[in-house]
C-alpha cells in the first residue's frame, strides 16, 4: 500500500472515530434519567414487583433508571435490585425537619453522586411515599428535574406535609393507586377538586406471573387436600388478626376439615401475633404459614378453594380464575368476590353488609358461584390504559417550579418538635430509625 493510500485510510478511520464520538456525545446529551425514591428493595412485595416491571418498561423507552430506597434490614431477593444495593439511603425514612440545612444538603449531594446528572438532558423523579416525596422535591429543585408523587401504599398520613401535597395535586403531580388513596390524604374532602383526582392503576406494572414450576413446601400441603383449602395471598404483615379469627369462626361452624394457608411472610417474627389464634383454632382446622416467593406456582391458585387478598395479589388470583375475596385494607372488612360481586381490591366506595363468613359460606357451602362467572376483562383493558396514563403523568404540564420548604410550615416544625429533635441528636439516626419501625409495627399489628 503506497503512502497516499495509507494517509487516506488513516483520515477515514480518524473521521469515523470522530463521528462516532460526536454521535455518542449527542446520544448521551439526549438520554433520560428516571429516579425512583421508594421504600424497600428487600424481601418480596408488590412494590418490589412494581419497581422491577416499571424499570424494564422505562428502559425499553430509552430511560436510565436509578432506584433509591431506605429499608436496610433483610436480603435482596430479586436479582434486578443488586445494582441498587449502594443506593439504599436509610436517612430517607426521616422527615426533612429532623435535619439541619447543611445536613440536608450533604445528604442530597450524596444522592446526586450516584446519578451523574450532568450526562442527562431530561430527569424525572418519582416518589412513592410521602416521606421520600419531600426529599424528592428538594432533589428536583437542585437538578431542575420534574418531580411526581405516585403513592403505592393504601394508607398514608399527610401530617405536616398536607400543604405540600396540595401544592403537588394542584400542579397535576400527585397520584396514587386509587381515588380513595388520594382523597384520604386530605382532612376536608371539599377542598379537593374532582378534576384533580387522577388515580392510576398500579396493576399495569405490579402484577406477577404465576409459575408452572411446583414449590415443594406448597405441594406437600396442597396435594394432601382436606375438604376445603382457604388461602391468604399477599404480605402476611397485611393479614389482620381479625380476618384470621373470622376464618377460624367459620371453620368452627361447619363439619368439614379445612386447611388454611397464609402465603407471604418474609421472616418468622411476622407470625408471632397469630400465636394465640393458632393455638385456639378449631380441631377441624389446620393453619400453615408459607414464606413469600418470587413466582407463586399455578397449583396454588388451582387448588385453593378460596383466596383472600387485596390489591395486586387479588388481581393475580382472579386472573387465575380463583374465587378471590378482597378485603378493605383500612377497615379489614370484606369487599366482595373479585370479578363477580365487586371490582374493588383495596377500598369499598359502596359498603355492603357482606361478612367474611357469609362470603365463605356462599362460595364453599352453598356453591352460589362458578369460576366461569369471574370476569375481570374490564380491569385488563384498564391496565393497558394505565400504562399510557403513567407516561402522561410524567410529561411536562407547567413550568418547573418547586415547593419552598424553607419558608413553609414543614421546615418550621422544628419549633414544635424540640424534644423529638433532641432525642434524635442524642441517640443518633440508627436508633431512632429502629424505634420508628417498632412503633409502626405496633400500630399496624394492633388492629
Amino acid at each position: 500500500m503506497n503512502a497516499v493510500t495509507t494517509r487516506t485510510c488513516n483520515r477515514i478511520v480518524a473521521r469515523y472515530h470522530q463521528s462516532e464520538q460526536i454521535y455518542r456525545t449527542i446520544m448521551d446529551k439526549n438520554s433520560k434519567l428516571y429516579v425512583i425514591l421508594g421504600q424497600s428493595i428487600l424481601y418480596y412485595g408488590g412494590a418490589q414487583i412494581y419497581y422491577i416491571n416499571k424499570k424494564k418498561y422505562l428502559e425499553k423507552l430509552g430511560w436510565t433508571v436509578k432506584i433509591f430506597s431506605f429499608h436496610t434490614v433483610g436480603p435482596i431477593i430479586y436479582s434486578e435490585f443488586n445494582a441498587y444495593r449502594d443506593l439504599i439511603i436509610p436517612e430517607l425514612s426521616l422527615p426533612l425537619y429532623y435535619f439541619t440545612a447543611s445536613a440536608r444538603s450533604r445528604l442530597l449531594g450524596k444522592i446526586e453522586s450516584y446519578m451523574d446528572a450532568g450526562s442527562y438532558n431530561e430527569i424525572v423523579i418519582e416518589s412513592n411515599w410521602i416521606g421520600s416525596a419531600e426529599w424528592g422535591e428538594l432533589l428536583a429543585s437542585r437538578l431542575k428535574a420534574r418531580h411526581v408523587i405516585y403513592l403505592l401504599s393504601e394508607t398514608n398520613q399527610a401530617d405536616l406535609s398536607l400543604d405540600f401535597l396540595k401544592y403537588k395535586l394542584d400542579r397535576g403531580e400527585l397520584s396514587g393507586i386509587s381515588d380513595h388513596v388520594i382523597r384520604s390524604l386530605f382532612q376536608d374532602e371539599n377542598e379537593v377538586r374532582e378534576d384533580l383526582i387522577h388515580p392510576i392503576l398500579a396493576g399495569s406494572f405490579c402484577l406477577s406471573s404465576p409459575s408452572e414450576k411446583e414449590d415443594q413446601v406448597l405441594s406437600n400441603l396442597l396435594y394432601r387436600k382436606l375438604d376445603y383449602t382457604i388461602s391468604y395471598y399477599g404480605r402476611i404483615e397485611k393479614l389482620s388478626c381479625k380476618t384470621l379469627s373470622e376464618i377460624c369462626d367459620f371453620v368452627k361452624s361447619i363439619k368439614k376439615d379445612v386447611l388454611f394457608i397464609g402465603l407471604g411472610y418474609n421472616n418468622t417474627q411476622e407470625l408471632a401475633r397469630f400465636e394465640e389464634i393458632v393455638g385456639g383454632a378449631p380441631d377441624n382446622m389446620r393453619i400453615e404459614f408459607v414464606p413469600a416467593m418470587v413466582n407463586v406456582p399455578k397449583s396454588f391458585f388451582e387448588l385453593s378453594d378460596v383466596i383472600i387478598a387485596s390489591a395486586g395479589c387479588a388481581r393475580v388470583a382472579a386472573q387465575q380464575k380463583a374465587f378471590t375475596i378482597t378485603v378493605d385494607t383500612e377497615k379489614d372488612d370484606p369487599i366482595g368476590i373479585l370479578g363477580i360481586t365487586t371490582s374493588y381490591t383495596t377500598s369499598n366506595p359502596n359498603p355492603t353488609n357482606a361478612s367474611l363468613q357469609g362470603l365463605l359460606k356462599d362460595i364453599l357451602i352453598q356453591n352460589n358461584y362458578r369460576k366461569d362467572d369471574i370476569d375481570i376483562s374490564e380491569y385488563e383493558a384498564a391496565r393497558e390504559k394505565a400504562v399510557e396514563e403513567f407516561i402522561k403523568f410524567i410529561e411536562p404540564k407547567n413550568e418547573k417550579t418547586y415547593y419552598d420548604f424553607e419558608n413553609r410550615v414543614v421546615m418550621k416544625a422544628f419549633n414544635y418538635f424540640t424534644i423529638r429533635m433532641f432525642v434524635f441528636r442524642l441517640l443518633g439516626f440508627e436508633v431512632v430509625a429502629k424505634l420508628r419501625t417498632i412503633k409502626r409495627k405496633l400500630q399496624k399489628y394492633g388492629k
Side-chain angles (χ1 to χ4, degrees), residues 42-48 75 77-78 235 264-266 291-295:
L42 309 176
Y43 287 119
Y44 303 87
Q48 287 86 337
I77 305 297
Y78 299 96
R235 284 160 53 193
Y265 74 83
N266 282 312
M293 52 189 68
V294 176
N295 294 112

Side-chain angles (χ1 to χ4, degrees), residues 250-316:
F250 168 76
V251 175
K252 193 181 299 183
S253 70
I254 63 174
K255 296 179 180 180
K256 298 288 184 179
D257 292 327
V258 176
L259 167 66
F260 173 80
I261 298 177
L263 171 60
Y265 74 83
N266 282 312
N267 59 72
T268 54
Q269 295 175 355
E270 297 174 5
L271 308 180
R273 61 198 172 97
F274 299 120
E275 287 181 0
E276 186 175 340
I277 300 174
V278 173
D283 293 337
N284 60 327
M285 182 177 184
R286 178 182 176 185
I287 298 177
E288 298 285 350
F289 291 100
V290 178
M293 52 189 68
V294 176
N295 294 112
V296 179
K298 280 191 173 183
S299 58
F300 171 74
F301 304 102
E302 293 168 352
L303 299 177
S304 294
D305 296 294
V306 179
I307 293 177
I308 297 167
S310 298
C313 290
R315 300 291 183 189
V316 172

Side-chain angles (χ1 to χ4, degrees), residues 35-46:
V35 178
I36 294 176
L37 298 184
Q39 295 190 45
S40 181
I41 58 172
L42 309 176
Y43 287 119
Y44 303 87

